[in-house]
Amino acid sequence: MQTTTLSFDNFHNHGELFANMLRARRELFIVHNKWDLPEAMGMEYDQYDTPASRWVVVHDELGKVLAGNRLTPTTTKCGIYSYMIRDAQRGLLATIPSHLLYDEAPVSETVWESSRLFVAHDVPASMRRKVHARLVQEIGNAARRLGARSALTLLNANWPRWAGRVGVDMTAMGPVMEIDGINNQVVSMDFSQNMH
């Protein structure tokens, strides 16, 4: 099992890995979960897949994607968009309720957003916990390299059951909300304890 943090600067060094990650996102979010999301050429994408973002990918030695995530700075702007959680709060995203945070969404160089976090649905149950822990560990490593002390993420509200297992302090930043029949909640992942 390997981890790679992709950016527009280094895509060319990793062959099909970025495309494979977008294909894995499509397979899980559009095919398996039946979410209505943009897709092209067998890949899922959205307005936040820009040069400002980074993508953390857990994969095997052949490039098969096991898990992935996108990190986006909370300071980014592109047209009317900034980052997913803030844009939802501003009423720009019809599929996510605007009351998802207790306070105003942060805009800070030390806070990034973690979005599109997934473990591929075909990862065997015996490996899922290890793959998920590796993904969260590498999200923390990548976030710290980018200067982030924390990351906001919209997660399944069952996060308190597994947060301790992945070794990251998490704090609820908004209410539990139902989205597409699943209880979700915005959480802050604290990466400051391992800052160098």
Side-chain angles (χ1 to χ4, degrees):
M1 188 171 12
Q2 302 173 11
T3 56
T4 302
T5 299
L6 295 169
S7 69
F8 272 65
D9 274 343
N10 72 7
F11 286 162
H12 64 283
N13 295 326
H14 300 284
E16 288 282 306
L17 189 58
F18 183 70
N20 288 344
M21 185 264 311
L22 294 178
R23 290 180 187 113
R25 280 178 23 182
R26 179 189 176 275
E27 182 63 29
L28 179 64
F29 298 135
I30 295 174
V31 176
H32 190 263
N33 290 358
K34 310 236 183 288
W35 292 358
D36 182 19
L37 298 172
E39 63 176 305
M41 298 174 13
M43 298 176 231
E44 183 269 324
Y45 68 96
D46 67 21
Q47 63 269 35
Y48 307 106
D49 291 309
T50 73
S53 292
R54 305 294 186 275
W55 298 264
V56 176
V57 184
V58 179
H59 56 94
D60 68 15
E61 60 281 348
L62 301 175
K64 176 177 171 37
V65 173
L66 306 173
N69 175 79
R70 177 179 57 215
L71 290 170
T72 302
T74 60
T75 55
T76 194
K77 289 181 189 173
C78 183
I80 63 170
Y81 298 106
S82 58
Y83 64 96
M84 190 179 70
I85 289 170
R86 183 168 183 257
D87 291 346
Q89 186 180 56
R90 293 165 58 215
L92 298 176
L93 304 178
T95 57
I96 302 174
S98 62
H99 66 280
L100 75 171
L101 289 169
Y102 296 133
D103 297 311
E104 189 172 332
V107 175
S108 168
E109 290 184 7
T110 62
V111 180
W112 283 53
E113 178 188 57
S114 166
S115 59
R116 288 297 197 263
L117 190 146
F118 73 94
V119 175
H121 78 280
D122 60 351
V123 170
S126 61
M127 282 183 61
R128 290 185 79 77
R129 183 181 288 182
K130 184 177 178 185
V131 168
H132 187 232
R134 186 76 177 268
L135 175 64
V136 173
Q137 177 186 27
E138 190 56 29
I139 291 168
N141 293 339
R144 283 188 290 277
R145 285 193 302 270
L146 295 164
R149 297 174 83 60
S150 64
L152 288 182
T153 187
L154 179 61
L155 294 175
N156 188 306
N158 70 3
W159 64 269
R161 292 198 328 238
W162 54 261
R165 291 185 288 214
V166 296
V168 176
D169 287 334
M170 297 186 181
T171 305
M173 300 302 285
V176 173
M177 315 163 293
E178 185 180 316
I179 303 172
D180 289 332
I182 298 170
N183 285 332
N184 288 273
Q185 189 170 33
V186 176
V187 173
S188 176
M189 297 187 288
D190 181 3
F191 299 126
S192 63
Q193 297 303 321
N194 298 318
M195 293 289 285
H196 299 299

